[in-house]
Amino acid sequence: MNPKVDFYFSKAKNWQNEIIKMRAIALDCGLTEELKWGCPCYQYQESNVVLIHVFKDYCAFLFFKGALLKDARGILVQQTENVQAARQIRFTGIEQIIKMEKTLKAYIYEAVEVEKAGLKVPMKKTKQFSVPDEFQQKLNKIPALKKAFILLTPGRQRAYLLHFSQAKQSKTRESRIEKYIPQILSGKGLND
């Protein structure tokens, strides 16, 4: 147990018993406990394997390379269609976690084996993401915007493309694009 992480378990209101049990399971698998992104993260030789996080309706183990796990039980969930590598196992009560303890450890051990093998999730390249017509028009009209967008990291480019594309109406896409043009020109990402 890492004392820096203790506060996370004491501040939890809705899922305290569940995440304390999840912590015990992860630590029982010989992983190192760290605090990452404000959540308990369990590592094998400094590689992130699994994270505990809580939401309003559930708590979950998030496997960083869950897409590579066999998922024999069919319990891994892709959080959204845009999540490429990570997968969750969700819980709504302590009973589920206790009942699944052996299975959870098996998934954790498999995730460790993925790390030991150095496997990587094949990620979709930025070029494979569609560019909304409204944004392409702006890129064509404003050379500085096109140059600034190209200079962004691939992750920042993807974040913008996803954000713009998620709007159902053209008017909303145009509004989002207009809002973020100054940020793109400043070389900043969507959440910077």
Side-chain angles (χ1 to χ4, degrees):
M1 286 189 194
N2 184 335
K4 292 180 188 173
V5 184
D6 288 342
F7 83 93
Y8 186 88
F9 297 94
S10 60
K11 77 171 180 132
K13 293 177 185 163
N14 297 338
W15 303 107
Q16 190 170 33
N17 292 333
E18 288 81 359
I19 63 175
I20 288 170
K21 180 64 176 168
M22 292 164 67
R23 180 187 205 186
I25 291 169
L27 290 171
D28 199 35
C29 292
L31 300 176
T32 304
E33 184 176 61
E34 295 295 336
L35 189 66
K36 299 260 181 133
W37 307 282
C39 297
C41 180
Y42 299 88
Q43 301 178 320
Y44 170 77
Q45 294 183 350
E46 297 186 21
S47 292
N48 299 329
V49 174
V50 67
L51 179 104
I52 293 174
H53 55 172
V54 297
F55 297 89
K56 181 180 174 186
D57 297 328
Y58 64 91
C59 57
F61 265 141
L62 177 122
F63 290 85
F64 287 89
K65 294 182 181 176
L68 297 176
L69 301 180
K70 292 181 186 98
D71 194 21
R73 303 264 183 158
I75 56 176
L76 292 174
V77 176
Q78 187 175 359
Q79 204 168 354
T80 69
E81 65 184 42
N82 297 316
V83 174
Q84 295 182 64
R87 297 292 184 271
Q88 296 177 327
I89 299 177
R90 296 177 177 176
F91 310 102
T92 55
I94 186 91
E95 302 80 23
Q96 286 177 296
I97 299 167
I98 293 168
K99 186 178 174 184
M100 294 177 66
E101 184 169 349
K102 276 178 116 173
T103 301
L104 297 172
K105 286 181 179 181
Y107 275 67
I108 291 170
Y109 289 132
E110 183 184 353
V112 169
E113 291 304 315
V114 164
E115 287 305 323
K116 285 179 181 177
L119 301 178
K120 305 269 185 224
V121 176
M123 302 294 257
K124 206 168 146 184
K125 302 286 182 210
T126 303
K127 294 175 202 167
Q128 294 173 286
F129 285 80
S130 61
V131 178
D133 291 336
E134 298 84 355
F135 188 52
Q136 187 61 58
Q137 289 171 11
K138 290 289 184 185
L139 293 172
N140 294 341
K141 284 183 185 175
I142 309 169
L145 178 63
K146 185 174 184 174
K147 182 179 179 183
F149 187 73
I150 289 169
L151 291 173
L152 292 173
T153 63
R156 287 184 170 125
Q157 290 176 10
R158 285 191 298 273
Y160 279 120
L161 293 176
L162 288 171
H163 182 64
F164 298 155
S165 298
Q166 287 171 340
K168 291 181 174 99
Q169 296 183 7
S170 178
K171 185 172 142 184
T172 309
R173 284 190 295 275
E174 288 173 8
S175 168
R176 287 182 180 186
I177 292 162
E178 286 297 325
K179 178 181 176 183
Y180 285 102
I181 286 176
Q183 202 155 322
I184 294 170
L185 290 170
S186 298
K188 295 181 180 176
L190 185 69
N191 300 311
D192 290 346

